[in-house]
Amino acid sequence: MSRIKNISILLPKGAATLTCIEGSFFMFNRVNEFLVSMGKPPMFNVKMVGLTTDPVSYQGVFSVIPDLSVHDSYKHDLIIIPPVNGEWESIVEMNKEFFPWVSAQYKSGSEIASLCVGAFLLASTGLMNGKSCATHWFAANDFRKMFPEINLVSEKIITDENGIYTSGGANSFWNLLLYIVEKYAGREIMLLCAKMYEIEIDRGSQASFSIFTGQKDHLDEPVKKAQEFIENHFQDRLTVEQLADMFALGRRSLERRFKKATNNTVVEYIQRVKIEAAKKSFESSRKNINEVMYEVGYSDTKAFRTIFKKIAGLSPIEYRNRYNKEMLAA
């Protein structure tokens, strides 16, 4: 059995998600209990780490007492960065004292894991530059704007690159915790945790949860008008040439400007708008696959199914069966 691993959970400033802090503490301590029940020694030593050892208050109601401060001499094997919600620039600014410490710990051998939008804090350390990163799909546009040098894989549940882990949105953090438990303690223990707490394992994508709203926080007015036209006429057969002519732009110019402004090509944007409309129809109506397909402007069944699964992470039938209330009740 490996030596005890020191798991350190960061206590950031701001509206941190207590579920992620408590869940991380809970998971690794539960593993210890399972190991002891099997006649094996515990594996994890879990600590809370703050800028100081003063209690950290969250939501004006809960207080968490750090076991250590960033100034203490201590061997951290894994540092977990929980999500903090709010205005991203302010969150980064209020937690900037953590960043050099996190970087120094990584360079001295610690692994780092960010949960959900904890990715904004991790990215601010500079450790993610040139690497792949996951975060909540809802924050993807803001993340790309703030950290263009990072490869955001917004559909992923988990990334693992050179001792740095990231997870997708919200409850996806449980999947990353299970992934780390398996890596440290083995698959048997991971499966026991998953079964005891009924966590779906081996989820690779958060695409089926995402809601496409488009990136309109830019100043390119012709592109914004093209986006609005696509969203209001998604039932039609739209082409890049048609949009370029409509807004008096060359095709190449439109494609270049559209990609820069929205992080999607024109064709990708059209597909995403159509598939988002199809998803809503599957969620709320009794229409069959072909009816929905025609409704959103597709006539090729194979193409529709392929594009739907690529974007939504599930086939049209799988999506309807999962999210339509009447299908669930059948």
Side-chain angles (χ1 to χ4, degrees):
M1 181 67 70
S2 303
R3 71 168 177 83
I4 289 282
K5 289 191 176 293
N6 294 323
I7 309 296
S8 302
I9 304 168
L10 220 61
L11 297 178
K13 295 181 178 179
T17 304
L18 285 168
T19 302
C20 292
I21 294 172
E22 193 273 341
S24 300
F25 181 86
F26 171 88
M27 177 65 77
F28 291 106
N29 278 300
R30 274 297 194 222
V31 170
N32 284 341
E33 293 178 15
F34 292 149
L35 289 169
V36 170
S37 72
M38 297 173 174
K40 300 176 181 179
M43 175 173 281
F44 301 115
N45 183 27
V46 188
K47 300 288 188 184
M48 303 287 178
V49 181
L51 289 173
T52 70
T53 54
D54 293 334
V56 182
S57 177
Y58 293 116
Q59 286 82 53
V61 177
F62 305 100
S63 291
V64 184
I65 302 173
D67 301 291
L68 304 164
S69 84
V70 295
H71 306 291
D72 292 324
S73 178
Y74 187 77
K75 169 62 179 173
H76 305 270
D77 292 299
L78 173 68
I79 296 169
I80 296 175
I81 303 175
V84 184
N85 298 297
E87 200 277 323
W88 306 124
E89 286 83 2
S90 297
I91 290 166
V92 167
E93 176 64 24
M94 73 175 66
N95 286 287
K96 64 183 180 181
E97 293 176 73
F98 280 112
F99 304 152
W101 177 81
V102 171
S103 296
Q105 295 304 316
Y106 178 70
K107 290 170 184 175
S108 66
S110 300
E111 294 192 313
I112 313 291
S114 72
L115 310 181
C116 189
V117 294
F120 282 81
L121 299 183
L122 174 57
S124 298
T125 66
L127 294 174
M128 293 303 296
N129 292 354
K131 295 183 175 69
S132 294
C133 181
T135 191
H136 198 297
W137 58 264
F138 185 76
N141 288 335
D142 291 333
F143 189 92
R144 287 192 178 99
K145 284 178 61 180
M146 285 183 68
F147 306 106
E149 64 281 6
I150 296 173
N151 176 30
L152 180 67
V153 284
S154 55
E155 76 285 359
K156 292 285 188 181
I157 293 289
I158 294 169
T159 68
D160 174 358
E161 195 168 343
N162 300 322
I164 299 180
Y165 312 92
T166 65
S167 75
N171 284 322
S172 295
F173 84 93
W174 289 111
N175 295 94
L176 179 55
L177 294 180
L178 286 178
Y179 180 87
I180 294 170
V181 166
E182 180 176 7
K183 191 169 184 178
Y184 287 171
R187 190 164 182 85
E188 179 186 6
I189 293 294
M190 182 279 286
L191 289 173
L192 179 57
C193 290
K195 290 178 179 179
M196 287 292 290
Y197 302 107
E198 301 187 19
I199 304 169
E200 292 283 351
I201 65 170
D202 296 332
R203 287 199 300 130
S205 173
Q206 59 179 336
S208 67
F209 299 101
S210 67
I211 301 171
F212 183 70
T213 56
Q215 159 62 310
K216 296 192 180 72
D217 186 18
H218 60 80
L219 302 176
D220 195 325
E221 286 303 316
V223 169
K224 197 171 290 186
K225 289 178 180 178
Q227 291 175 266
E228 291 170 356
F229 186 87
I230 292 168
E231 290 164 11
N232 291 327
H233 298 84
F234 65 84
Q235 304 94 334
D236 301 337
R237 292 179 178 276
L238 303 173
T239 67
V240 180
E241 289 82 2
Q242 173 191 357
L243 292 167
D245 290 343
M246 186 177 300
F247 298 104
L249 294 170
R251 173 176 177 148
R252 289 186 179 180
S253 177
L254 174 62
E255 289 183 322
R256 175 180 54 79
R257 289 167 63 172
F258 203 99
K259 176 72 173 179
K260 180 179 180 182
T262 71
N263 293 302
N264 289 278
T265 67
V266 178
V267 171
E268 287 171 344
Y269 200 90
I270 292 170
Q271 290 175 341
R272 287 182 176 275
V273 170
K274 287 177 178 289
I275 296 307
E276 192 61 36
K279 286 164 58 180
K280 290 178 181 177
S281 186
F282 285 137
E283 292 166 12
S284 59
S285 77
R286 294 179 61 86
K287 295 174 183 175
N288 63 36
I289 304 302
N290 285 343
E291 287 175 316
V292 172
M293 176 185 75
Y294 292 127
E295 185 180 74
V296 300
Y298 283 99
S299 58
D300 184 325
T301 303
K302 183 178 179 182
F304 175 67
R305 292 177 189 273
T306 300
I307 293 167
F308 190 98
K309 186 162 187 177
K310 178 183 177 183
I311 292 174
L314 299 170
S315 72
I317 292 174
E318 289 170 334
Y319 190 91
R320 185 185 63 176
N321 289 345
R322 178 175 293 186
Y323 290 110
N324 187 288
K325 183 178 179 179
E326 293 185 8
M327 295 298 156
L328 288 171

